[in-house]
Amino acid sequence: VAAVVQNNLLKKTALQTTFSGNFLALFGGGTNPQRFTLREALDCFLDFRFQTIRNKCAFQLDKVENRAHIVAGLLIALESTDEVIAIVRNAPDQASARAALMSTDNPKLGLSSAQADAVLKLQLGQLTRLNGDKLNDEKKTLDESQTNLRNLL
């Protein structure tokens, strides 16, 4: 009796609905059309989403690493503020100031090109202890972001 009732419910109500679908899509770099089953279409979509998320995380990780590199250079410049000011003041132009900041002769500084550019863009008022605290906080959050993104990848 139960099987008869179940069959009538499935046949005469919307409990079971069938429809046909034509899953024709471009596959393999968009070069060849292919007919998919529902399972294959969902698998391809999930692969696409995973790859998109990986690319997004890799891009964000690159941005965070670049910013962390610059913040590290700013903290180095903040530690030796007097020396940085003397180098910038005694340099005849910006290129020579950048070269002096990047020089390996000075073991305290030895900044990279991006770090030296960031230091040269700073205003003198930004080399304060309060800004140093902000930079330390930013460095901590950037390190946490790097760890999270690396774990995600």
Side-chain angles (χ1 to χ4, degrees):
V1 175
V4 173
V5 172
Q6 180 182 6
N7 287 338
N8 283 335
L9 283 174
L10 292 177
K11 185 187 279 186
K12 297 181 180 180
T13 63
L15 287 178
Q16 181 179 11
T17 305
T18 59
F19 62 93
S20 61
N22 187 6
F23 287 109
L24 182 67
L26 295 176
F27 185 70
T31 55
N32 54 339
Q34 181 179 347
R35 192 174 291 231
F36 290 100
T37 63
L38 180 61
R39 173 71 185 227
E40 290 170 340
L42 290 174
D43 285 341
C44 286
F45 175 74
L46 288 176
D47 291 341
F48 167 75
R49 286 299 295 161
F50 284 136
Q51 187 61 38
T52 303
I53 290 171
R54 278 189 211 105
N55 291 343
K56 180 181 174 184
C57 289
F59 178 74
Q60 288 176 345
L61 180 63
D62 188 44
K63 281 177 53 176
V64 166
E65 286 176 344
N66 289 337
R67 180 62 187 162
H69 180 68
I70 289 174
V71 168
L74 293 175
L75 287 171
I76 291 171
L78 187 63
E79 290 174 4
S80 53
T81 305
D82 296 332
E83 199 171 333
V84 170
I85 291 173
I87 288 172
V88 172
R89 186 177 291 156
N90 294 332
D93 60 353
Q94 193 172 7
S96 60
R98 181 183 302 114
L101 289 172
M102 291 170 45
S103 169
T104 55
D105 297 338
N106 190 345
K108 279 187 179 179
L109 294 177
L111 303 175
S112 70
S113 176
Q115 290 172 333
D117 287 339
V119 168
L120 290 174
K121 288 179 184 175
L122 274 181
Q123 295 177 356
L124 191 57
Q126 290 179 326
L127 291 174
T128 61
R129 186 141 339 265
L130 178 65
N131 196 29
D133 294 339
K134 287 181 185 177
L135 287 173
N136 283 325
D137 292 342
E138 183 178 359
K139 183 171 175 44
K140 287 177 187 174
T141 58
L142 288 172
D143 289 341
E144 290 172 5
S145 295
Q146 279 181 333
T147 306
N148 291 340
L149 289 170
R150 284 198 179 110
N151 289 337
L152 190 60
L153 286 177

